Amino acid sequence: MSEVTVKQLASTVGIPVERLLTQLKDAGISAGDADSKLTEQEKVQLLAYLRRSHGKDEGEADGGPGQVTIKRKSVSELRVPQAAAPRSNTPNSRPAPAARGGGKTVSVEVRRKRTYVKRADEPATGTTPAPRRQSNDRSRAGRERAAATSAVIDESRRRAALEAMRAEQEARRLAEQEEQERRAREEEARLEEERRQAAEARRRAEEEARQQAEREAAERQARGVTEEPSAEATAEAGEAETETPARRAEAAKPKKAAKKAAEPVEKEKEKEKDRPAKKVVRKETAPVRVRDIAVAGRGEYEDIDGPGGGRGPRRRKKSSKPQLQDKHAFQKPTAPVVREVEIPEAITVAELANRMSVKASVVVKELFKQGMMVTINQNLDRDTAILVVEEMGHKAVVADERDAEGTLLDEMQEQEGQFEALPRPPVVTIMGHVDHGKTSLLDYIRRTRVASGEAGGITQHIGAYHVETDKGTVSFLDTPGHAAFSAMRARGAKVTDIVILVVAADDGVMPQTVEAIHHARAAGVPLIVAINKMDKPEANPDKVMQELTQYEVLTEEWGGDTMMVKVSAKAGLGIDELLDAILLQAEVLELKAPVEGPARGAIVESSLDKGRGPVATVLVQSGTLKRGDIIVSGGEYGRVRAMFDESGSPVESAGPSIPVQVLGLSGTPNAGDDVITVSDERRAREVAEFRAARSRQNRFDEQRGVSLDQLFTQLKDGEQKAVNLILKADVQGSLEALRESLLKLTNDEVKVAIVASGVGGITESDANLAVTSNAILLGFNVRADAAARRVVEEKGLDLRYYSIIYELIDEVKQAISGLLSPIVTEEIIGLAEVRDVFRSSKFGAVAGCMVVEGVIKRNNPIRVLRNNVVVYEGALESLRRFKDDVAEVKHGMECGIGVKNYNDVQPGDQIEVFERTEKARVL
Ligand code: GDP
């Protein structure tokens, strides 16, 4: 390109056209306007002028050894204020002063230096073109050189400008980015502030609304207005009352007052809306108090959007979009999340961690810091759990004690209500004075009315059975007397509908007859009197009726409301009439229960069977208990593995008032404990564990009470003595009855304390406990095992066996009262182990035995023990050694034993032979 216009040159060089024109003019070149063309020559002329004007003459320029050095320095400053940054390309241009304090200036300086060396073969002529007046021919070569130089200058300038531009752009980009970040931060801080204000305003508004509601309520009350409060006011008051932190985080939309208070916030939001979209930062920063970050976060966001009615959703949509693009979408919660953690009585480490939304290891660590080594599955007590929760900055809330249990019971009741209640059989308990014939009466009914399932007519002792008659079904509870009845009543499991009071016609009203009347009255259960032993010649039923009137029990015959039936358990007299009376009474009571639906019931009895595990007799009270159901009973739970009726035959289901023996529970519940069907096993376990923990605590308190009492006693009153007892029994029912009766024996002089009690044989640990607590071991229908007996012997412990409740109680009572007269006691003289059982046509079952202790005597009374529990008491039919009848067999010898009237001897059973001897009683 040989010719350029002034304008082109100006833009290449990077100076304004006017300036170039002035320079051209000064250089003596006539260029009229921006469009006039410049020749090469003129360009060189201009260059020479410029050099001169910058203080370099031709000589100097030529003084160098034929080289040209070009230097260029360009400085640009970037001013990046709030609005679009004004940019300046002009070198050395002064930046505009910062409009606001927040502006930013970036200086960019570009330096270029280039040297062109003339080639050696070229004549060393001045690079500066001659002035115009020099002759044309003389400087032809020079002109060419000048043109080349000029092109080089152009080129280098262009490059320099380009580089500068790039650098500028880069700097600008960086600055912009920085600016954006800064703005985002500012925006965020501002929003946070706004939110805080909004929350504050809302809180104030809510507070106002609440106060308003309260005031109104108070006014209404004061006025005693009877009209209904307005719906709005009710809603407001209701909301204000039920306010919770979670609710507070929710939108305060429906509240008028809140809306008013939130108006300034609204305006703020309008402004915010006008801002560029990119300014919208994520709003879901954590509010100060949240229960759940996900839910509350959203709520907070919507809240900020305000009660915008129709506009709400649109705006939400708009502002939610940029979140995705925004690099700063995630906001670390500005305040720690405080959770409300529910703490039940006991909680595992894992569950506690779960409730705080932290890893279990964090909780373990926390506990470790406090000096506790725990595993994930370990249970923490409530106090420890609360400590951990608070240590970790959360809020501990004590869970409702009855939560699991209470909701279960509520549900149960609700479900029961859904099914139609139908008439159900009555449940009867027989009570009366000792030896008046309770057992005989029950036995007679069982023998004659219960369909026996097993060969030999041996019915299982399951503590209850039902009798089918033409007129209906009756269920009998065969529990040990009135003590068990009161124990069951005390637990609130009122299972008995009718009490049969047995009074011997030859004996009349006795102390326990009176007690039974009181028990029945206290429980609100109607009485039917069975005047027994009517077969006896000395029977005097009128005397009985007469005596009963003293206790306000008046027979119908004499115009009263109590049915009295004359019976004989021995002769089987009047049993039908008694059953009729029971059914009549049941009709009057209108006993009803739903047959459909989940079962609810009560434990009549429970024991631990070596082969079958815990065995419990359940009396179904409503619904139907089925095999496979999951049940909770007291502190135990489990799936019903199998069910048996009183005759030992397996059954699939049991309806209301029907007793069944249940296998599959985790342990032996107490007599009187309720039985509830639960839908799932986890819940069953939860409820059972909760109850077990509670009863453990109660027991602990009880024991502590005893020892404290003792200490107190010893300190205060040297006179009073304490009798410590360890009580073991065959079934839970007996145990409960004994416990209650024994504890009642405490009098002014002696305190009775039961250190331990349980179902099953007396074990070594029981014996050891007796040593440490200085207690007397009492076994009711149970025996001590070999290890326990060793301890008893070594330590000289007092071990007593009983098979009659009243005997045990009387003995303890007499001992306490100091009436230690010599009485007849039992002494076990021999023990044989059954190795095998043979059936013989002549003798029935004959047990092949080995005498393991003492001596077996033919004419002494015996007991059959199974797993150290008495299963039969009676006498021997035969005692043989090698086909010879013998009077006794000594220790270490084998023998054949036939038990009188008992054919159920099994291998592994033990047969103990005892002697009633007279012995001075010591206690
Ligand atoms: P419990 O202590 O109330 O259970 O009384 P039992 O059922 O053990 O009976 C005590 C005694 O009375 C036993 O010897 C029975 O044989 C006897 N007995 C029970 N009922 C009758 C009856 O109706 N007539 C006669 N003669 N004796 C009876």
Side-chain angles (χ1 to χ4, degrees), residues 430-443 502 504 506 512 531-537 567-573 804 806:
I430 297 187
M431 296 173 110
H433 195 73
V434 65
D435 276 355
H436 278 198
K438 296 183 296 289
T439 320
S440 309
L441 189 62
L442 269 172
D443 279 352
V502 177
D506 61 342
Q512 281 160 16
I531 303 173
N532 194 23
K533 305 197 185 180
M534 284 302 288
D535 58 311
K536 283 198 170 182
V567 299
S568 166
K570 204 161 198 174
L573 277 172
I804 298 164
Y806 298 107

Side-chain angles (χ1 to χ4, degrees), residues 544-561:
V544 174
M545 288 194 243
Q546 178 63 47
E547 284 171 357
L548 283 171
T549 54
Q550 291 176 22
Y551 305 96
E552 287 163 37
V553 180
L554 194 64
T555 170
E556 282 179 334
E557 280 177 37
W558 298 351
D561 57 357

Side-chain angles (χ1 to χ4, degrees), residues 47-52 55-69 116 118 124-129 149:
L47 189 65
Y49 161 74
L50 286 172
R51 277 170 173 271
R52 268 200 311 279
K56 289 180 183 170
D57 55 26
E58 254 173 287
E60 256 182 296
D62 282 343
Q67 68 176 30
V68 178
T69 301
Y116 295 89
K118 191 174 66 179
T125 51
T127 48
T128 312
T149 314

